[in-house]
Amino acid sequence: MNSRKELLQVRELETTFFTDDGAIPAVDHISFSLKEGEILGIVGESGCGKSVTSLSIMGLVPSPPGKITSGEILLDGKDLTKLSQKEMRKIRGQEIAMIFQEPMTSLNPLFTIGNQLTEAILIHHKSWSKKKASARAVEMMKLVGLPRAEELLKEYPHQLSGGMRQRVMIAMALVCDPKILIADEPTTALDVTIQAQILQLMKDLNVRLNTAVMLITHDLGVVAETCERVIVMYNGQIVEEGPVELIFKNPEHPYTKGLIHSVPDMRFKKQRLFSISGNVPKPGTVKQGCRFAARCEYAFDRCQQENPNLYQTAEQHKTRCFLKEGKEASLDDRTAIESK
Amino acid sequence: MLHYIGRRLLQLIPVLLGMTFIVFLIIRAIPGDPAQVILGQQATKEAVAALRASLGLDNPWYIQYFHYLGDLLTGDLGESMRTKVPVASELWPYLGATLELSLCAIILAVIIGVNAGIISAWFQNSWFDYAAMIIALIGVSMPIFWLGLMEQWIFGIQLDMLPTSGRDDARNPVNPITYLYIIDTIIQGRFDQLVVVIQHLILPAIALATIPMAIIARMTRSSMLEVMRSDYVRTARAKGQKMFWVVYKHALKNAIIPVLTVIGLQMGMLLGGAILTETIFSWPGIGRYIYDAIGFRDYPVIQSGILVVAFMFIMINLLVDILYSIIDPRIKYN
Ligand SMILES: Nc1ncnc2c1ncn2[C@@H]1O[C@H](COP(=O)(O)OP(=O)(O)O)[C@@H](O)[C@H]1O
Ligand SMILES: [Mg+2]
């Protein structure tokens, strides 16, 4: 896995919203990379900055008020944050495509499926005829498992179910063979069976087309089923990163542990869902100490004073927690934790 | 769709019937007797009574009303008490004048208003946005007669650039066919006259377009601002689409739907409510035709004139509804 090329490298990315309430650092110096052909999960509760991260990569942060305030996003060595609008448009759809949470509202209700699919093709293949584009659209619709593809071309989004619309969105995203697909909560709005189908489809397409997928979700269950590697975000920062297996077997950050706890276990239908107490603080409101300290059952004095770094705890495992500062953690702290 | 249109037209009948009744009663409530007005103050009582009898005014009002309805059902709009000319033929030139002016005004208002609204929303909080919205605010609160008079003073008198009254050059009048002079001059290949006709249209059309333009601009802007935040606009951008097409294809088609209602209403207002502008610019339109008829208590002209305007108002609304269903596939009229 390590030998695979890094397609996309995000370095110290900071995205800030300049609002009336002041500057909100929704994404606060995050660094990660996406490797060729992999499925990378990005997980965290709502408001942790997952969507803003993906919109930053797409160059679609609502502006004003949002702006990438520092860092770089490297695609094949090109820094996307430095590109002009025109250059960025060539990246969108062609190199990096994106699908969104709400399949009900993500398609334009007033244009046919065919119109919207061929549009996505013709934007990047200006010399193609309409007929050729339609043929490609049909091919793609079949690939994502849509029945009656030819007829669907003439239909409008409201005539399709949520699951079908999300398939259309996926077809539309992949129609120009992008290297990267960013899927922002693609199954959150769908019911469970459809959700499983869409995730399976994304896995299949990932294998067949070798498209790297950045799968954003608030549900670690989705990550467990789909991803190879996962990044856990909290309050605009990465708090843990590693291979999915490792993270589930040996979660290091208290936040990750909490998230794993709150994944519903289908074996016990009646169990009450665990949820981490408290809420994600608004970005920028925790001025001092670890951002998770207020909700953390392991928090000790130091957590209130300083924000820990992201410590490399194993070859592929990183955690932002003083408990993992390795040998640097003082003996006192350790006993304090162990006595809990 | 045809089914729907048919049903809508059927529904028109009771509406128009009710309207004829109300208008009929209201104009008879205006003090003054048509026979007296026609014959003048010096007329003898006998002469007035004779004229009243010949006009059918001596019948009870409900008999008069049923006569009027009976005529309407056979397509007869009655004849003017004053000129003895059938209203249908007398009305058409005036209607043509009003239609031409209000169509030009609404087209002007839509083209400029919609685009100003789009650009204001696209570049929200830019100098263009602020300027356009300040102008629009001034526009909606502008007294039209004052605007008309200022136009005449500046472009007519001071700059001597444009004519300030009438529809054509009295020394070289347009030979009317449809009474829409732009069309008439084009059919007849009289492009010299076409230029003159357009020159005559400019000032009144601007005066008439100002308020609708301002309303349409504000409406378009707020509708666009909402649509620009929608998910499908973000999807269109994520495809790599140019901002121009994102705005003019994806956003506009959605945003224009509520604006269409406003356009339809404004068009209706222009048809009926252009009397002020028509008076200032001596425009021989239907507003002035009906207004003059009121002065003469010319009942058939008033009744049928208002009926025709109301009919067109309703037809425009029907047209707007049909446009909705063409634009939005989710609307099904069944
Ligand atoms: N348009 C915006 N204006 C101001 N703040 C925003 C905007 N969009 C996002 N934010 C801020 O960024 C934070 C992260 O949002 P987001 O990335 O959407 O979270 P999620 O992880 O649920 O996708 C939010 O809590 C909010 O404070
Ligand atoms: Mg989100």
Side-chain angles (χ1 to χ4, degrees):
Chain A
M1 199 204 270
N2 267 335
S3 59
R4 279 197 259 170
K5 205 179 103 197
E6 290 186 344
L7 263 183
L8 183 79
Q9 294 162 306
V10 175
R11 300 245 174 281
E12 294 295 319
L13 176 69
E14 179 188 58
T15 304
T16 313
F17 288 94
F18 296 92
T19 66
D20 295 341
D21 304 335
I24 301 173
V27 171
D28 195 355
H29 295 92
I30 66 169
S31 302
F32 66 91
S33 58
L34 179 67
K35 298 195 185 84
E36 209 166 46
E38 81 169 332
I39 304 186
L40 170 68
I42 297 189
V43 70
E45 288 163 291
S46 164
C48 286
K50 307 179 300 289
S51 295
V52 174
T53 302
S54 53
L55 291 175
S56 301
I57 295 169
M58 292 296 282
L60 290 177
V61 175
S63 162
K67 195 171 180 292
I68 293 178
T69 32
S70 79
E72 45 191 31
I73 299 167
L74 301 173
L75 177 76
D76 294 334
K78 252 182 310 191
D79 185 357
L80 302 187
T81 63
K82 303 253 163 18
L83 295 188
S84 68
Q85 276 298 321
K86 195 177 166 194
E87 291 165 316
M88 200 58 215
R89 281 202 303 269
K90 291 218 177 79
I91 304 283
R92 288 183 206 132
Q94 183 154 253
E95 308 269 333
I96 310 177
M98 185 163 177
I99 61 173
F100 302 96
Q101 175 169 345
E102 281 296 335
M104 299 315 237
T105 53
S106 293
L107 289 163
N108 195 323
L110 306 188
F111 292 94
T112 59
I113 304 296
N115 181 311
Q116 299 186 56
L117 270 167
T118 49
E119 178 187 26
I121 300 167
L122 294 171
I123 289 169
H124 298 292
H125 302 278
K126 296 206 167 56
S127 61
W128 283 26
S129 68
K130 275 225 169 96
K131 212 173 147 200
K132 189 172 173 191
S134 286
R136 168 74 182 144
V138 167
E139 178 192 2
M140 207 59 219
M141 284 161 88
K142 286 183 174 153
L143 192 65
V144 301
L146 281 165
R148 327 179 275 118
E150 280 89 357
E151 290 164 51
L152 277 185
L153 285 181
K154 293 191 201 70
E155 289 183 13
Y156 288 90
H158 73 274
Q159 296 168 281
L160 277 60
S161 68
M164 284 172 84
R165 286 186 222 190
Q166 200 59 296
R167 283 176 197 265
V168 170
M169 284 297 292
I170 294 172
M172 198 157 85
L174 298 180
V175 83
C176 291
D177 274 324
K179 297 192 191 87
I180 298 168
L181 173 67
I182 302 177
D184 189 354
E185 311 250 9
T187 59
T188 306
L190 304 173
D191 64 47
V192 183
T193 42
I194 308 290
Q195 177 166 342
Q197 290 171 11
I198 296 288
L199 289 177
Q200 188 58 46
L201 171 67
M202 295 190 36
K203 273 164 79 173
D204 292 348
L205 291 173
N206 164 256
V207 173
R208 283 181 69 167
L209 307 173
N210 200 33
T211 315
V213 178
M214 207 172 116
L215 178 67
I216 294 171
T217 174
H218 64 267
D219 181 356
L220 261 180
V222 168
V223 170
E225 275 175 50
T226 323
C227 306
E228 298 158 51
R229 213 153 57 86
V230 62
I231 286 172
V232 182
M233 277 187 81
Y234 188 76
N235 203 220
Q237 293 187 323
I238 292 176
V239 295
E240 187 160 358
E241 177 184 339
V244 169
E245 258 175 73
L246 198 57
I247 296 253
F248 272 87
K249 210 163 62 192
N250 180 25
E252 292 183 330
H253 198 283
Y255 182 58
T256 316
K257 290 178 187 168
L259 285 180
I260 291 175
H261 250 92
S262 42
V263 175
D265 190 330
M266 290 306 168
R267 284 170 302 177
F268 310 108
K269 283 221 168 96
K270 281 199 189 129
Q271 74 176 356
R272 276 196 57 211
L273 266 187
F274 171 84
S275 67
I276 310 166
S277 64
N279 294 307
V280 184
K282 281 197 130 184
T285 50
V286 182
K287 303 249 188 288
Q288 203 185 19
C290 171
R291 294 175 184 195
F292 188 61
R295 303 170 74 188
C296 180
E297 53 180 318
Y298 306 99
F300 49 94
D301 281 352
R302 192 178 169 198
C303 304
Q304 315 291 345
Q305 311 302 324
E306 297 170 50
N307 193 18
N309 295 325
L310 199 54
Y311 303 110
Q312 187 93 44
T313 55
E315 199 198 334
Q316 296 184 52
H317 202 161
K318 290 179 191 165
T319 305
R320 189 186 295 279
C321 181
F322 286 126
L323 298 179
K324 298 297 159 189
E325 209 178 359
K327 299 189 176 64
E328 291 157 46
S330 73
L331 206 65
D332 294 356
D333 292 341
R334 293 199 158 219
T335 34
I337 300 148
E338 273 149 18
S339 69
K340 274 206 166 177
Chain B
M1 174 61 95
L2 282 177
H3 203 83
Y4 169 74
I5 297 173
R7 215 181 59 215
R8 279 290 297 265
L9 290 175
L10 278 180
Q11 284 170 354
L12 266 184
I13 294 171
V15 174
L16 288 174
L17 210 65
M19 229 208 57
T20 57
F21 185 67
I22 293 167
V23 171
F24 185 90
L25 286 189
I26 287 176
I27 55 179
R28 272 158 185 78
I30 311 170
D33 176 5
Q36 188 77 60
V37 177
I38 291 168
L39 295 174
Q41 291 303 321
Q42 281 77 32
T44 61
K45 279 217 167 76
E46 293 72 30
V48 171
L51 186 56
R52 282 180 63 84
S54 81
L55 291 173
L57 290 172
D58 52 347
N59 290 323
W61 67 266
Y62 51 87
I63 300 287
Q64 294 182 40
Y65 180 65
F66 283 116
H67 278 159
Y68 169 53
L69 270 193
D71 288 348
L72 276 185
L73 286 180
T74 60
D76 182 357
L77 294 181
E79 68 180 32
S80 164
M81 291 178 172
R82 188 164 58 103
T83 61
K84 301 288 173 206
V85 178
V87 177
S89 56
E90 197 174 71
L91 182 116
W92 185 239
Y94 295 102
L95 191 62
T98 291
L99 268 181
E100 185 163 69
L101 178 57
S102 48
L103 279 175
C104 286
I106 204 75
I107 289 169
L108 192 70
V110 168
I111 290 176
I112 297 179
V114 166
N115 280 291
I118 291 170
I119 296 169
S120 288
W122 182 354
F123 302 104
Q124 190 189 3
N125 300 329
S126 64
W127 66 264
F128 180 93
D129 183 22
Y130 289 126
M133 286 309 114
I134 289 171
I135 292 170
L137 193 64
I138 296 170
V140 283
S141 41
M142 177 86 71
I144 292 202
F145 73 92
W146 184 82
L147 179 68
L149 292 174
M150 288 314 281
E151 280 182 357
Q152 290 183 328
W153 185 67
I154 297 171
F155 297 100
I157 298 167
Q158 296 301 317
L159 301 177
D160 198 17
M161 279 165 56
L162 292 165
T164 58
S165 79
R167 298 182 71 185
D168 58 0
D169 187 347
R171 287 156 297 174
N172 180 16
V174 173
N175 176 27
I177 300 170
T178 63
Y179 288 96
L180 298 170
Y181 282 3
I182 292 184
I183 293 177
D184 291 345
T185 51
I186 291 175
I187 313 178
Q188 297 170 46
R190 294 293 304 272
F191 295 106
D192 56 323
Q193 287 186 329
L194 177 65
V195 172
V196 174
V197 165
I198 290 174
Q199 284 174 340
H200 278 84
L201 267 166
I202 292 175
L203 293 184
I206 290 175
L208 211 51
T210 302
I211 289 178
M213 191 188 299
I215 294 175
I216 290 168
R218 282 154 51 113
M219 187 73 203
T220 306
R221 177 179 182 272
S222 66
S223 183
M224 281 294 287
L225 280 178
E226 202 180 309
V227 168
M228 292 291 279
R229 279 195 294 268
S230 65
D231 292 347
Y232 51 80
V233 163
R234 189 180 51 187
T235 304
R237 295 194 64 200
K239 288 182 198 176
Q241 185 57 285
K242 282 199 179 88
M243 209 47 202
F244 179 84
W245 290 116
V246 173
V247 169
Y248 275 84
K249 177 183 170 183
H250 288 276
L252 179 58
K253 197 169 178 188
N254 282 276
I256 204 71
I257 293 174
V259 180
L260 273 181
T261 315
V262 175
I263 294 173
L265 286 175
Q266 291 300 318
M267 178 71 197
M269 306 272 272
L270 294 191
L271 284 177
I275 294 185
L276 224 48
T277 313
E278 289 179 356
T279 306
I280 294 168
F281 290 95
S282 312
W283 194 265
I286 192 145
R288 283 187 58 215
Y289 177 58
I290 297 173
Y291 180 77
D292 290 345
I294 293 172
F296 287 104
R297 305 293 185 273
D298 194 343
Y299 295 160
V301 171
I302 307 172
Q303 281 164 190
S304 297
I306 294 177
L307 185 66
V308 167
V309 171
F311 179 74
M312 295 211 308
F313 191 97
I314 294 172
M315 291 313 282
I316 289 167
N317 276 304
L318 177 60
L319 196 72
V320 167
D321 284 351
I322 292 170
L323 273 180
Y324 280 160
S325 73
I326 291 174
I327 292 178
D328 191 340
R330 289 165 301 183
I331 299 178
K332 281 278 165 285
Y333 294 125
N334 282 320

